[in-house]
Amino acid sequence: MTTVPAWGTHSPQEALNSLSIERREPVADDVDIDILYCGVCHTDIHFAHNDWGYTVYPLVPGHEIVGRVSRVGSGVTRFRTGDLVAVGCLVDSCRKCHACQDGLEQYCEGGLVGTYNSPDYRHGNAITYGGYSKRIVVNENFVLRVPDSLDPAAAAPLLCAGITTWSPLRHWNIGKGHTVGVIGLGGLGHMGVKFAHALGAKVVMITTSPGKAADAKRLGADDVLISTDPEAMRAHGRQFDFLLNTIPVSHDINPYLPLLRRDGHMVIVGALDALQGQLQAGALVMQRISLAGSIIGGIPETQEMLDFCGEHNILPEVEMIDMAEINEAYARMQRNDVKYRFVIDMATLT
Ligand code: NAP
Ligand code: ZN
């Protein structure tokens, strides 16, 4: 074990602060990574505040990690010291079930190990600690390669915000001829807009914030719909094939369903809690509409997304922060004041 400097919290009420964690010595198929940058996901806030009731403290968040390989175990074949690599939301899975064999490790039936707040059953059930730290040790199968052409700081949010929006767009074969509505212009939403646009779809930003309209168009939206304007919502009825819903809190989806045309889909990626209001089943039944959810993405599709970003020079819009600014960053995200992802420069963790 090695002691590693990190930032985390001991309770839902406590601000994040510096602490020390233990990382295992790399075993044969492990990659030891010096963390350069870590993105700040809204999920980090949900865990820090124990919004979903299963946070184990101390918590060290962070699952949008970019770093450099500092050493590799004796059996590692895919990475070498000095490689620019990334780690997302997963650091292990059972590797045997149907989901794992299909490269959809995020739906593992036999035991998923999250990058933080997860018992690591191959390593004595130690609770995993995330990327708000100087180093991480990860099995090589869960390490991604960052294309050389990408700015490593700006690339960090691809590891969660990127893949979480890429995966459903690809699964539902979104492309030319489709009209996509991305609901919520935050970390996930801004990547949803960029990807849907790059895949050839017509993109409409559906936002509660009229002040974000110009940004939405700069990011690739063809049109902007203000969701709090009932008249505008009515005028956009039956115009969408696909709605990507990134709203981070419990909310009523009923006002959005009439936006979908026949055979349209709404995919929820933001809210995990019970939704508000009663689902108007008729809205689904009358137009054969489906309601689905999706979580992050598997390792092969995460690499596919990184390579696509490398080829098309697609990067998140980031605001760099020092480690000590993390509590202010959380407060700003909760005030809806981030354009559009904070990234921590890990050199500032001393
Ligand atoms: P974020 O940066 O805070 O952005 C969320 C956006 O949603 C806001 O910018 C805002 O956009 C909109 N919004 C916020 N409150 C709203 C409300 N009450 N009603 C309507 N719209 C609202 O958050 P994020 O990092 O993108 O994460 C979004 C959610 O996805 C979080 O809950 C996170 O935990 C979850 N998540 C899920 C996965 C997954 O795999 N499924 C992965 C990562 C994150 P406008 O100003 O444009 O309205
Ligand atoms: Zn995330």
Side-chain angles (χ1 to χ4, degrees):
M1 290 285 187
T2 325
T3 303
V4 175
W7 270 57
T9 177
H10 290 90
S11 82
Q13 293 79 31
E14 193 183 285
L16 272 71
N17 219 320
S18 64
L19 46 79
S20 293
I21 54 171
E22 299 288 314
R23 296 280 192 206
R24 67 175 182 265
E25 286 303 309
V27 296
D29 48 3
D30 276 344
V31 176
D32 194 350
I33 300 165
D34 285 335
I35 300 175
L36 300 172
Y37 304 104
C38 186
V40 181
C41 179
H42 207 113
T43 300
D44 301 349
I45 304 179
H46 287 310
F47 271 103
H49 296 170
N50 197 19
D51 285 348
W52 296 324
Y54 58 92
T55 302
V56 180
Y57 295 96
L59 172 85
V60 174
H63 56 207
E64 293 183 337
I65 299 168
V66 168
R68 238 175 237 293
V69 175
S70 61
R71 55 182 170 154
V72 295
S74 57
V76 169
T77 55
R78 295 173 43 239
F79 297 99
R80 284 195 295 194
T81 302
D83 284 355
L84 189 66
V85 293
V87 178
C89 304
L90 305 175
V91 290
D92 210 344
S93 67
C94 84
R95 308 178 203 172
K96 291 192 294 253
C97 71
H98 292 300
C100 287
Q101 297 205 338
D102 288 347
L104 295 169
E105 297 87 351
Q106 74 275 34
Y107 301 113
C108 174
E109 298 152 24
L112 188 71
V113 184
T115 301
Y116 61 81
N117 199 67
S118 232
D120 191 350
Y121 55 90
R122 277 188 232 270
H123 298 280
N125 273 327
I127 298 294
T128 53
Y129 295 123
Y132 298 5
S133 61
K134 281 290 204 191
R135 278 180 49 224
I136 191 165
V137 178
V138 181
N139 179 282
E140 72 165 326
N141 295 315
F142 291 81
V143 178
L144 289 309
R145 200 169 280 289
V146 179
D148 290 335
S149 57
L150 293 180
D151 168 9
L158 294 175
L159 277 301
C160 178
I163 186 60
T164 301
T165 50
W166 174 260
S167 180
L169 290 169
R170 296 286 288 154
H171 178 73
W172 275 275
N173 288 315
I174 295 305
K176 206 166 160 37
H178 291 129
T179 300
V180 171
V182 178
I183 308 175
L185 182 47
L188 268 55
H190 93 291
M191 290 314 302
V193 170
K194 287 193 178 210
F195 285 146
H197 174 75
L199 291 168
K202 176 183 173 194
V203 188
V204 179
M205 183 71 239
I206 304 176
T207 175
T208 61
S209 307
K212 293 181 184 174
D215 273 357
K217 290 196 171 162
R218 182 176 53 77
L219 294 167
D222 299 284
D223 198 0
V224 176
L225 168 57
I226 307 300
S227 55
T228 49
D229 177 348
E231 204 48 54
M233 289 289 275
R234 254 192 305 278
H236 281 78
R238 303 266 170 267
Q239 290 190 1
F240 292 83
D241 301 288
F242 190 82
L243 294 174
L244 185 63
N245 179 347
T246 78
I247 298 173
V249 290
S250 175
H251 60 283
D252 185 359
I253 61 167
N254 289 304
Y256 298 95
L257 295 175
L259 297 174
L260 288 165
R261 53 169 72 115
R262 177 175 54 81
D263 294 327
H265 309 279
M266 177 192 275
V267 178
I268 296 177
V269 292
L272 282 191
D273 358 45
L275 294 173
Q276 289 171 16
Q278 290 187 320
L279 178 65
Q280 300 299 318
L284 306 180
V285 171
M286 301 306 284
Q287 294 294 326
R288 200 162 57 186
I289 280 165
S290 53
L291 179 59
S294 181
I295 189 159
I296 47 173
I299 297 298
E301 61 182 342
T302 304
Q303 190 62 61
E304 173 197 74
M305 178 268 316
L306 286 167
D307 295 342
F308 183 88
C309 290
E311 279 157 34
H312 296 84
N313 199 27
I314 295 177
L315 277 173
E317 314 256 315
V318 302
E319 178 177 337
M320 298 302 298
I321 59 167
D322 292 354
M323 188 68 255
E325 294 174 306
I326 188 67
N327 293 300
E328 174 57 15
Y330 279 14
R332 282 184 53 196
M333 281 170 77
Q334 288 180 293
R335 291 199 301 267
N336 197 357
D337 173 24
V338 52
K339 290 184 172 178
Y340 281 93
R341 199 58 139 186
F342 292 114
V343 173
I344 307 160
D345 179 352
M346 224 37 82
T348 64
L349 195 175
T350 48

